[in-house]
Amino acid sequence: MSTWDFSLVSRWMNFAQFWLLPATCVLCRQPGQQDMDLCRRCEASFLVSPNSCPGCALPLPQEVEAVRCGRCLQSKQRVHTTVAAGIYDPPLSDLITQFKYQRKLEAGRVLTGRLISTLQHHYRAKPWPDLLIPVPLHPARLRERGYNQAALMGRDLSKALQIPLAVDAVHRHRATPAQQGLSARERRRNLRGAFAVNPDWKRASVQRIALIDDVVTTMSTVAEVARELQHHCDVAPEIHVWCLARA
């Protein structure tokens, strides 16, 4: 089946699904929008920064436009671009918690749909990444949770945007304590050496790679993955980060 045929069948399946099972908002349980399990009122309650740092998506004052924040300017930032669908505050943070820890995958589909819309706006006049790579979980954490939320996001993003997905390109070979409550320096130290590029990954010549994650806080995790990728690729690719929320 060609890419065009697959896309057409996918659209018809989505249409049939929402015709037979009307959309219901995952937050308030009221009728959702035509093709999304989220009503307009709840969607409007998500906080979105009108102006943010192009490098790390940190919200910036409205009067400062298209300028990287002080931290990005002062650091050897390995990430070129970060795109976030919103700010990590309720109710967006509540939906992410449901998706990540409570196995409510419908919340993840809604959130990824919002991210897709944000990305389409962001890249309307810019070249898209050539490859998507989800931030991996350690095998022990994956067994405990049952799924990698970043990988689920990656599959939906790859399907919607027609960009290849490499789920096994990077693996997390060292378990690390939870990042919550740690300073930026402690997070970097905690993650050093936690990721490795899969030696069996067939590295194609790619110019831009998008790393997929749910929440970005200090950029420590994605920066460590970016470091490994840029070290092992023949030509260091430009790293983009796509996430559901910026904390």
Side-chain angles (χ1 to χ4, degrees), residues 49 51-60 64 66-73 77 80-83 122 246:
S49 175
N51 189 36
S52 59
C53 171
C56 69
L58 186 72
L60 297 175
V64 180
V67 176
R68 292 179 181 264
C69 69
R71 182 178 296 175
C72 285
L73 290 173
Q77 185 59 266
H80 179 272
T81 300
T82 300
V83 182
H122 178 86
R246 178 61 158 96

Side-chain angles (χ1 to χ4, degrees), residues 34-55:
Q34 182 178 359
D35 59 349
M36 184 185 299
D37 287 325
L38 187 69
C39 70
R40 294 190 184 279
R41 180 178 179 181
C42 288
E43 184 178 25
S45 66
F46 292 165
L47 294 180
V48 179
S49 175
N51 189 36
S52 59
C53 171

Side-chain angles (χ1 to χ4, degrees), residues 50-113:
N51 189 36
S52 59
C53 171
C56 69
L58 186 72
L60 297 175
Q62 183 63 34
E63 61 273 13
V64 180
E65 296 185 3
V67 176
R68 292 179 181 264
C69 69
R71 182 178 296 175
C72 285
L73 290 173
Q74 294 174 7
S75 66
K76 296 179 180 179
Q77 185 59 266
R78 295 181 178 274
V79 173
H80 179 272
T81 300
T82 300
V83 182
I87 298 174
Y88 191 72
D89 277 319
L92 182 59
S93 58
D94 298 332
L95 276 184
I96 292 175
T97 297
Q98 293 174 22
F99 173 41
K100 189 172 181 177
Y101 299 113
Q102 300 173 14
R103 298 176 180 267
K104 295 187 177 181
L105 303 188
E106 66 275 16
R109 288 191 292 270
V110 167
L111 293 167
T112 305

Side-chain angles (χ1 to χ4, degrees), residues 152-186:
L152 295 182
M153 291 167 55
R155 292 189 179 98
D156 287 345
L157 289 163
S158 175
K159 178 180 175 182
L161 303 174
Q162 296 296 295
I163 300 175
L165 175 70
V167 177
D168 298 322
V170 181
H171 60 87
R172 190 165 188 156
H173 63 89
R174 184 171 68 82
T176 57
Q179 295 279 82
Q180 293 178 341
L182 300 181
S183 67
R185 179 177 295 180
E186 290 169 337

Side-chain angles (χ1 to χ4, degrees), residues 98-142:
Q98 293 174 22
F99 173 41
K100 189 172 181 177
Y101 299 113
Q102 300 173 14
R103 298 176 180 267
K104 295 187 177 181
L105 303 188
E106 66 275 16
R109 288 191 292 270
V110 167
L111 293 167
T112 305
R114 275 187 52 86
L115 177 57
I116 290 169
S117 298
T118 303
L119 292 167
Q120 289 171 333
H121 176 75
H122 178 86
Y123 287 94
R124 65 190 183 279
K126 301 175 184 177
W128 288 89
D130 309 298
L131 185 68
L132 309 182
I133 296 179
V135 172
L137 288 178
H138 187 270
R141 183 67 57 84
L142 182 60

